Amino acid sequence: MSEVEAEISMFERIGGAVVVDRLVEAFYGRMDALPEATTIRAMHAPDLGPVKNVLKRYLTEWTGGPKLYSPEKGHPRLRQRHMGFAIGNAERDAWLLCMRGALEETVADGNARQELDMALTKLADWMRNQAGNPHDAGTARP
């Protein structure tokens, strides 16, 4: 990452709210369309509108944009919020397949796309709560 990239938020680097909106729409479009995503799609309500809005607000804030998520929802506590869903390697992989396709489609800046992919991969790994997640072996997250 260059000095200039370090001074500009990821939110700005990718194109702001317009790109976050497109990213989330592309992500859930893939979840609806890809046979590999059937299991994770089944974890969602038939109407994706509400969850799309939550993810848009979360990603906006997570990438350094306006604080749209935490004032309403508080600390993300993503793993805790997803504990009611069985998330193993297959679910993580399906989620990443959808997200990587959406990133490729919507984020023009290759460096930003790669950085987001790395960060989202770590996040997806952390979300696993089934066998295969090293965090389930009693190690605490820093």
Side-chain angles (χ1 to χ4, degrees):
M1 179 184 334
S2 72
E3 274 187 50
V4 172
E5 288 174 328
E7 294 175 13
I8 300 172
S9 72
M10 181 60 72
F11 181 76
E12 293 171 298
R13 286 176 60 198
I14 66 172
V18 171
V19 174
V20 170
D21 286 350
R22 288 179 44 224
L23 175 65
V24 171
E25 293 297 329
F27 169 74
Y28 281 112
R30 281 170 170 70
M31 191 183 290
D32 267 338
L34 296 176
E36 300 92 337
T38 303
T39 303
I40 61 170
R41 178 59 180 95
M43 295 177 180
H44 294 76
D47 177 10
L48 291 172
V51 74
K52 284 180 183 180
N53 288 330
V54 170
L55 184 57
K56 287 175 185 179
R57 290 193 308 270
Y58 174 77
L59 288 176
T60 294
E61 188 170 326
W62 185 72
T63 58
K67 293 197 179 303
L68 302 178
Y69 181 89
S70 57
E72 179 183 330
K73 300 275 190 181
H75 187 283
R77 292 178 172 72
L78 293 181
R79 193 157 192 255
Q80 179 182 339
R81 292 179 194 267
H82 289 80
M83 275 297 175
F85 303 99
I87 303 172
N89 291 337
E91 292 77 18
R92 176 210 51 205
D93 293 348
W95 190 91
L96 283 170
L97 177 68
C98 295
M99 185 55 75
R100 286 176 174 151
L103 285 168
E104 188 68 35
E105 178 182 329
T106 61
V107 177
D109 180 327
N111 289 335
R113 188 171 53 247
Q114 184 177 20
E115 289 172 40
L116 281 171
D117 181 73
M118 289 188 312
L120 289 166
T121 298
K122 288 179 185 176
L123 180 62
D125 283 339
W126 170 246
M127 296 299 289
R128 289 178 294 163
N129 56 29
Q130 300 298 298
N133 184 352
H135 298 289
D136 290 335
T139 56
R141 183 175 182 208

